Amino acid sequence: MGTVAIAVTDGMLQFELSVAYEIFGSAPAGVGVPWYEVSVCGPGAVRVGRFLMEPDRGLEGLRDAGTVIVPGWDDVDRPPSAALVEAVRAAHRARARVASLCTGAFVLAAAGLLDGRRATTHWAHTDVLAARHPLVEVDPDVLYVDNGSVLTSAGKAAAVDLCLHLVRLDHGSAIANAVARRLVVPPHREGGQAQFVTTPVPAPDHHPLAELLPWVLERLDEPLTVQDLARRARMSSRHLGRHFRAATGTTPLRWLLSQRIRHAQELLETTDDSVDAIAAATGMGTATTLRRHFHRTVGVPPDTYRRTFRSRALPVATGGDRISPPRPRPGPAPEAAAADPSRGGRPAARG
């Protein structure tokens, strides 16, 4: 997947195109792994918003890439060009991983790549996509959908989420988080989160959860419950749930579990700690509990994940400091740490 081809035609959306080029075309400072080779492929000089772009290669260049990115374009009522559709179809036949951003899903659908598959696009156009391509299972309520060799994202900020997801698949969580830091965006939003939320990123000092979320992230080793979070936020559990849904598009338990898994990924990549130690450090309690939730969320067991990414060079944080796990804090009592987060009000895969 080290070669990335970005498809362009007249009318492509400049934001999604720029997002893909910025993420795959610029390695974060201090990352000692081979980065992507990026090419822009199009039928000739194309108009992108108010800019005129000269592609590196013709559309036939899509067939040579490991990953093909299809940004959205500004008029879904205009069918995508036959040349673009055939080039994307040929790239998929050549075993490329094909990902669409925003309304780029209409190109993948026209190429038949979404037939019988779950997919998404910008929420304003999901009804049109479903009506035009009835064989596609359109999900209007998610940020992105990963079908393995075919991926689709919702609009705008969700394009960033999907591109970071691809970097995470290729290079691991620590490097993807380094890219996110460079872009000054949240390091990870699960694809299943809602597209439309009132406050995707709570503003400091202007949101009821602004102080709570950092407080939780410093205490992932503790067996926190919804009641603990509500007590800290000085509100009822029901009120807390409403604020979480508005701010993150998910429930407190699902958000907490995703943060535990994310931290476990970083520890697996950046330390030699045992799975038992990582289970304690992430509030999972036992290695069995961590393995169950990790496998269900990430798709592979922790040991397999570590073998895949542990040998990769570690990124450096802003200012040149090497990334390291948080300084150990006093942990909970042994009987509390051993509690299964999936029971008794503890975090579970379903909130």
Side-chain angles (χ1 to χ4, degrees):
M1 302 302 176
T3 55
V4 175
I6 304 174
V8 296
T9 58
D10 284 332
M12 284 286 180
L13 297 172
Q14 61 198 47
F15 178 84
E16 285 78 358
L17 174 60
S18 300
V19 161
Y21 196 85
E22 176 66 23
I23 289 178
F24 296 109
S26 303
V31 173
V33 297
W35 203 242
Y36 302 95
E37 296 180 10
V38 178
S39 61
V40 177
C41 301
V46 297
R47 177 66 63 179
V48 180
R50 299 196 55 178
F51 305 100
L52 190 65
M53 171 170 286
E54 195 72 46
D56 303 310
R57 303 182 60 185
L59 288 172
E60 71 278 358
L62 301 183
R63 292 195 302 268
D64 301 327
T67 298
V68 171
I69 304 294
V70 182
W73 79 100
D74 57 8
D75 186 3
V76 298
D77 293 327
R78 175 170 54 87
S81 74
L84 174 60
V85 170
E86 179 51 39
V88 169
R89 187 184 292 125
H92 186 254
R93 284 198 300 262
R95 305 183 68 82
R97 178 176 62 182
V98 181
S100 66
L101 309 179
C102 193
T103 50
F106 284 81
V107 177
L108 273 58
L113 304 190
L114 301 182
D115 289 354
R117 288 188 166 109
R118 183 165 155 263
T120 194
T121 188
H122 191 292
W123 61 266
H125 304 295
T126 51
D127 288 345
V128 177
L129 181 63
R132 192 174 299 170
H133 300 281
L135 296 181
V136 181
E137 182 187 343
V138 180
D139 190 338
D141 298 322
V142 295
L143 295 177
Y144 58 85
V145 177
D146 182 349
N147 288 301
S149 63
V150 179
L151 305 92
T152 54
S153 87
K156 303 303 177 186
V160 178
D161 294 309
L162 178 54
C163 290
L164 289 176
H165 173 69
L166 292 173
V167 173
R168 187 174 297 104
L169 291 176
D170 296 340
H171 295 292
S173 182
I175 289 179
N177 289 347
V179 176
R181 278 193 297 274
R182 176 170 60 83
L183 298 174
V184 197
V185 297
H188 187 209
R189 291 200 296 171
E190 297 285 353
Q193 289 189 28
Q195 280 197 37
F196 185 80
V197 294
T198 306
T199 314
V201 183
D205 303 325
H206 292 89
H207 193 276
L209 303 184
E211 294 183 3
L212 177 65
L213 300 187
W215 181 86
V216 173
L217 294 177
E218 292 177 357
R219 290 162 175 78
L220 291 177
D221 57 330
E222 299 180 10
L224 298 171
T225 67
V226 172
Q227 290 74 24
D228 294 330
L229 272 59
R231 190 178 305 113
R232 176 70 185 183
R234 298 182 181 87
M235 61 181 70
S236 69
S237 297
R238 180 174 297 181
H239 198 193
L240 177 74
R242 285 197 295 268
H243 280 300
F244 253 92
R245 178 66 69 179
T248 70
T250 190
T251 66
L253 287 181
R254 284 180 175 173
W255 180 85
L256 181 56
L257 178 60
S258 70
Q259 301 311 307
R260 295 187 192 280
I261 296 297
R262 178 194 58 79
H263 188 35
Q265 287 177 295
E266 290 196 0
L267 293 178
L268 287 166
E269 295 173 32
T270 61
T271 75
D272 293 318
D273 293 348
S274 68
V275 175
D276 287 285
I278 292 175
T282 57
M284 291 289 190
T286 67
T288 299
T289 300
L290 172 59
R291 286 191 174 98
R292 181 172 69 253
H293 287 302
F294 194 96
H295 197 170
R296 183 161 49 193
T297 302
V298 181
V300 296
D303 297 317
T304 302
Y305 185 89
R306 169 170 271 166
R307 283 196 300 271
T308 302
F309 295 111
R310 184 66 181 93
S311 61
R312 310 288 176 91
L314 300 181
V316 295
T318 302
D321 296 328
R322 195 174 181 84
I323 290 176
S324 60
R327 180 178 298 178
R329 301 171 49 259
E335 61 273 14
D340 187 337
S342 68
R343 299 175 182 173
R346 302 300 192 247
R350 299 184 181 275

